Amino acid sequence: MTDSPLRIAVIGVGVISAQYFASLPRLPGLRLVAVADLDMGRAAEVAAEQGVEARTVDELLASDDVDAVLNLTIPAVHVEVGTRILEAGKHVYAEKPLALSPDEAAPMLALAAERGLRVGSAPDTVLGTGVQTVRRLIDDGAIGQVLTADAHWSAPGHERWHPAPFFYYQPGGGPLLDMGPYYLTALVTLLGPVVRVSGVSIRSPRERTVATGPRAGEAVPVAVDTGVSGILEHASGAVSRVSFSFDTWATRAPLFEVHGTAGSIAVPDPNTFDLPVEAWTTETGEWRTVAANAGYADAGRGYGLADMAHAIATDRPHRASGELAQHVLEIMDAIPRSSAEHAVITLTTTVDRPAAVPQGATPDSW
């Protein structure tokens, strides 16, 4: 635990903010001081619930009692708002995706480096006991040399459950940018950076309408590819096969698996923190549940921000970094580009695997 908590404010108090507020009482390295939103009525309501002040965005950025800002705005303005936060001399931690493209993110990261400020980004689900236990199994050689990984996410489309799903079908949405960050961040955490990408993508002609809520029956315009698949070549020599779809009515495909020369691991959903891990090895000859042996226990959204706060205090790299998010962005950018160009894309960014989270660690002590 640091002696002086990082004083944070939140810009954007939509649905996802509730998950961050739920984690804050468990994170003594963070202290919430203010919230802001374009809807000041909503900001005032949330501020009252959290026992802090509601401020306009301009007031918040000019505040001397704010060290870092949690940016929960929509993806289309993540960079615009993030840049303003950095220009105000404050660290920034953003919801995923960090930006809509790696080129859009680059100037913001350069500004942070120039100002000596930190940029962090969700997802921080990879810091929980699920993915970190898989990481330890791999690092300990439990399945030998890792050869391949398969990661798949699919659904028939968010319009079937979301009362206002329009964003998901516009630039910044789609299955790749919506769900890809969880799986691709996990793959880089487990297997290291990616060097080359091959991909294909399609856009379903199916007409989509809102199924629930006050806008039920309204047509949903589609301006993004609704199904993407990619083959990722990691610098380690491992190969990952990924797919993300809004076009799948039902499937029996495995969600996420890693395969090595001596076994296989069933990776829990990387959109969660602490689901069980299963492993099959040549020694056991059967699937067995592996007890959690690494990662932040009982974690939730905001643990990546707390990890960043401790990293600032102790002058170490933080795990859910802007550089990791930018590398994931380039992977996501390369899949449809490979499809359009009918070419293998060589990536220009790379990143070190974030440090593993040992068992028993807390974001305020390691």
Side-chain angles (χ1 to χ4, degrees):
M1 176 177 171
T2 56
D3 292 334
S4 300
L6 193 73
R7 299 169 299 177
I8 64 166
V10 177
I11 297 179
V13 289
V15 174
I16 192 65
S17 67
Q19 296 188 40
Y20 284 89
F21 293 136
S23 295
L24 289 179
R26 305 197 298 271
L27 300 170
L30 302 176
R31 180 164 67 87
L32 181 67
V33 297
V35 300
D37 195 278
L38 292 178
D39 183 344
M40 286 303 296
R42 172 63 179 160
E45 179 184 337
V46 172
E49 292 172 355
Q50 299 301 319
V52 298
E53 290 186 358
R55 301 174 187 171
T56 67
V57 172
D58 288 343
E59 289 170 342
L60 187 151
L61 294 179
S63 299
D64 292 333
D65 63 345
V66 174
D67 303 312
V69 178
L70 175 58
N71 180 7
L72 302 183
T73 58
I74 62 173
V77 297
H78 277 180
V79 168
E80 176 187 344
V81 174
T83 300
R84 289 189 62 193
I85 294 167
L86 294 169
E87 288 174 341
K90 306 178 192 309
H91 308 287
V92 60
Y93 185 94
E95 246 303 322
K96 56 84 183 169
L98 179 65
L100 301 187
S101 73
D103 289 343
E104 185 188 31
M108 182 174 65
L109 295 177
L111 176 62
E114 176 187 321
R115 300 282 180 96
L117 296 168
R118 301 288 187 115
V119 175
S121 178
D124 54 4
T125 45
V126 296
L127 304 181
T129 56
V131 171
Q132 289 294 318
T133 294
V134 177
R135 163 85 178 255
R136 182 165 176 182
L137 286 170
I138 290 171
D139 290 352
D140 288 350
I143 60 168
Q145 178 184 340
V146 173
L147 303 174
T148 62
D150 294 282
H152 307 283
W153 181 90
S154 62
H158 287 353
E159 73 279 2
R160 294 175 60 81
W161 61 268
H162 199 291
F166 307 97
F167 153 76
Y168 292 107
Y169 294 94
Q170 297 301 309
L176 182 59
L177 263 71
D178 179 40
M179 297 304 297
Y182 297 110
Y183 291 81
L184 298 172
T185 302
L187 283 168
V188 174
T189 297
L190 296 174
L191 309 182
V194 172
V195 293
R196 282 178 296 277
V197 173
S198 304
V200 292
S201 61
I202 61 172
R203 188 173 304 182
S204 169
R206 173 161 60 95
E207 294 184 1
R208 299 173 189 264
T209 57
V210 181
T212 62
R215 302 181 72 171
E218 189 172 338
V220 180
V222 177
V224 294
D225 290 338
T226 53
V228 297
S229 297
I231 298 176
L232 319 179
E233 301 175 51
H234 295 262
S236 64
V239 174
S240 296
R241 299 166 293 227
V242 301
S243 64
F244 308 98
S245 173
F246 280 170
D247 300 323
T248 305
W249 294 103
T251 181
R252 293 177 178 175
L255 184 68
F256 196 160
E257 294 178 344
V258 177
H259 307 285
T261 55
S264 299
I265 302 171
V267 183
D269 181 354
N271 190 16
T272 66
F273 287 88
D274 55 7
L275 291 180
V277 174
E278 292 183 289
W280 188 105
T281 70
T282 53
E283 292 184 357
T284 65
E286 63 181 2
W287 286 104
R288 292 184 179 179
T289 300
V290 179
N293 58 22
Y296 294 137
D298 302 317
R301 281 175 169 80
Y303 272 59
L305 174 57
D307 179 90
M308 188 175 85
H310 186 263
I312 292 168
T314 57
D315 193 27
R316 64 165 173 84
H318 57 288
R319 294 176 171 93
S321 70
E323 290 74 18
L324 173 59
Q326 183 189 33
H327 185 62
V328 168
L329 273 173
E330 189 176 16
I331 297 169
M332 293 192 293
D333 181 73
I335 293 174
R337 187 154 64 92
S338 170
S339 180
E341 298 176 6
H342 302 286
V344 176
I345 305 298
T346 299
L347 301 192
T348 61
T349 64
T350 190
V351 67
D352 293 332
R353 290 171 82 201
V357 182
Q359 188 172 30
T362 71
D364 304 305
S365 67
W366 196 280

